[in-house]
């Protein structure tokens, strides 16, 4: 069932599935694709302009972790490890919240949300995640921050160049 979403740049779109729209290229993610294999698509979150906020989305449309194939399982954990390593090494991100849920309107994806110093004013637990994301969406769409977010995408893309996927 189609739903209307509003992107950080103000564009409003009607789509069936956000993840399908991004992984298929219907919606361009901020800064472009970080990494792509036949199974997964790695990109900056399109709704929340936080440098290094990475979405690891399956290309195949399913909802639950126990639906991953054996091949997808191996690639998934390898990608998480590599992305996290690059977030730390190249962007200086010390802490990350991993968020995955099965009652989403999108299909299977993992959020890798960095924890920056400014976020602690919203709390120091998973409960702070929603206020942080809303603050970013509503107050961090300025040109300077968007350039920083795009720079982060470029840096992570460079770091992922040497990742060898078992599904390519």
């Amino acid at each position: 069932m189609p739903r209307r979403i509003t992107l950080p740049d103000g564009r409003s779109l009607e789509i069936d599935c956000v993840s399908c729209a991004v992984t298929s290229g219907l919606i361009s993610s901020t800064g472009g694709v970080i990494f792509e294999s036949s199974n997964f698509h790695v990109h900056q979150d399109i709704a929340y302009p936080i440098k290094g906020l990475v979405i690891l989305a399956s290309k195949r449309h399913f909802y639950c972790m126990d639906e991953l194939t054996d091949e997808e399982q191996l690639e998934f954990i390898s990608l998480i490890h590599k992305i996290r390593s690059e977030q730390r090494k190249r962007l200086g991100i010390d802490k990350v919240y991993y968020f995955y849920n099965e009652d989403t309107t999108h299909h299977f994806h993992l959020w890798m949300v960095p924890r920056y110093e400014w976020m602690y004013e919203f709390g120091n637990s998973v409960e702070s995640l929603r206020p942080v994301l809303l603050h970013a969406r509503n107050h961090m769409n300025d040109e300077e921050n968007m350039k920083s977010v795009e720079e982060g995408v470029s840096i992570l893309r460079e770091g992922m160049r040497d990742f060898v996927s078992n599904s390519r």
Side-chain angles (χ1 to χ4, degrees):
M1 177 174 191
R3 64 180 249 227
R4 183 156 295 281
I5 64 163
T6 302
L7 301 175
D9 65 9
R11 288 182 297 146
S12 183
L13 303 170
E14 191 167 296
I15 56 174
D16 289 321
C17 173
V18 173
S19 292
C20 284
V22 173
T23 62
S24 71
L26 179 63
I27 296 176
S28 297
S29 56
T30 305
V33 178
I34 295 171
F35 178 83
E36 186 170 16
S37 71
S38 61
N39 293 322
F40 294 99
H41 191 275
V42 179
H43 56 273
Q44 170 74 35
D45 187 279
I46 63 167
Y48 307 107
I50 298 171
K51 186 175 184 175
L53 195 171
V54 173
I55 302 295
L56 170 52
S58 67
K59 286 186 167 180
R60 188 170 60 87
H61 195 101
F62 64 94
Y63 292 97
C64 300
M65 184 151 326
D66 62 349
E67 296 176 70
L68 286 162
T69 66
D70 290 344
E71 177 185 329
E72 289 167 336
Q73 291 173 48
L74 294 172
E75 185 178 9
F76 182 66
I77 195 65
S78 295
L79 276 167
I80 294 169
H81 183 270
K82 177 63 173 170
I83 294 163
R84 181 62 187 105
S85 174
E86 296 303 326
Q87 286 174 317
R88 183 185 311 279
K89 181 170 53 175
R90 294 176 183 263
L91 299 180
I93 296 169
D94 289 327
K95 305 282 185 224
V96 169
Y97 281 1
Y98 299 87
F99 185 71
Y100 149 77
N101 63 319
E102 294 181 349
D103 63 350
T104 181
T105 56
H106 322 306
H107 66 260
F108 183 84
H109 65 284
L110 175 76
W111 291 14
M112 297 174 71
V113 184
R115 291 295 292 183
Y116 291 108
E117 196 62 39
W118 65 266
M119 296 175 172
Y120 290 103
E121 74 181 72
F122 298 95
N124 189 22
S125 73
V126 72
E127 292 171 356
S128 69
L129 191 57
R130 185 73 178 148
V132 161
L133 295 173
L134 291 174
H135 174 80
R137 182 170 56 195
N138 296 328
H139 302 288
M140 296 177 66
N141 290 314
D142 60 88
E143 187 175 334
E144 181 181 347
N145 185 60
M146 292 307 290
K147 280 185 181 179
S148 176
V149 169
E150 289 178 9
E151 175 188 38
V153 168
S154 180
I155 290 167
L156 289 174
R157 181 183 307 113
E158 181 63 33
M160 295 299 292
R161 285 187 202 268
D162 65 348
F163 181 80
V164 178
S165 168
N166 62 348
S167 71
R168 286 191 149 189

